[in-house]
């Protein structure tokens, strides 16, 4: 199995930046990629960004494209989400996930709150 732990959330003003981190442990060699999702109160979980360890361009939700950047380390043990130009609508609990055939593993989440 794979364990994921997010960190880096907090309270920021609109227009500010945060950098989220996700540390993976366990059978990380089974992971084909990692990504970020978020869930606001009363809303369904939504996709934010993802990377594939096999290569190719990262993917982003339209709502964050141009503002957020996902990246990972060479050991495939850490993934980051650089969040710039934050908006109040970005307020949510952000979850790190790892996939093989689907999104199999999830972290506990880290809270991001953007004030207006």
């Amino acid at each position: 199995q794979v364990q994921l732990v997010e960190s880096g959330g907090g309270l920021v003003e609109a227009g500010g930046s945060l950098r989220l981190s996700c540390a993976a442990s366990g059978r990380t060699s089974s992971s084909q990629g990692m990504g970020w999702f978020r869930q606001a109160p009363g809303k369904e979980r939504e996709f934010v960004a993802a990377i594939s360890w096999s290569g190719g361009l990262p993917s982003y939700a339209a709502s964050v494209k141009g503002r957020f950047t996902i990246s990972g380390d060479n050991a495939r043990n850490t993934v980051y989400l650089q969040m710039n130009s934050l908006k109040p609508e970005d307020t949510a609990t952000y979850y790190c996930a790892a996939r093989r055939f689907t999104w199999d593993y999830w972290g506990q989440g880290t809270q991001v709150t953007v004030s207006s």
Side-chain angles (χ1 to χ4, degrees):
Q1 61 177 340
V2 176
Q3 296 81 44
L4 305 172
V5 179
E6 305 96 333
S7 62
L11 173 64
V12 298
E13 288 188 20
S17 298
L18 283 174
R19 182 178 173 85
L20 306 183
S21 299
C22 175
S25 61
R27 288 191 129 198
T28 57
S29 61
S30 66
S31 174
Q32 297 296 322
M34 297 178 70
W36 291 93
F37 295 76
R38 67 187 182 186
Q39 186 169 22
K43 303 291 185 179
E44 291 188 0
R45 179 187 63 193
E46 65 175 343
F47 169 79
V48 176
I51 54 172
S52 172
W53 301 128
S54 64
L57 295 175
S59 60
Y60 298 94
S63 60
V64 306
K65 191 173 184 179
R67 299 189 296 121
F68 293 7
T69 303
I70 188 171
S71 61
D73 67 2
N74 292 336
R76 305 180 181 183
N77 292 327
T78 309
V79 66
Y80 305 94
L81 185 67
Q82 179 65 46
M83 310 165 68
N84 298 328
S85 302
L86 284 162
K87 306 173 181 179
E89 63 199 73
D90 295 318
T91 295
T93 300
Y94 284 70
Y95 296 92
C96 176
R99 69 170 180 85
R100 189 180 182 187
F101 305 111
T102 184
W103 297 106
D104 303 309
Y105 307 101
W106 297 84
Q108 83 289 345
T110 185
Q111 179 66 37
V112 172
T113 302
V114 184
S115 63
S116 60

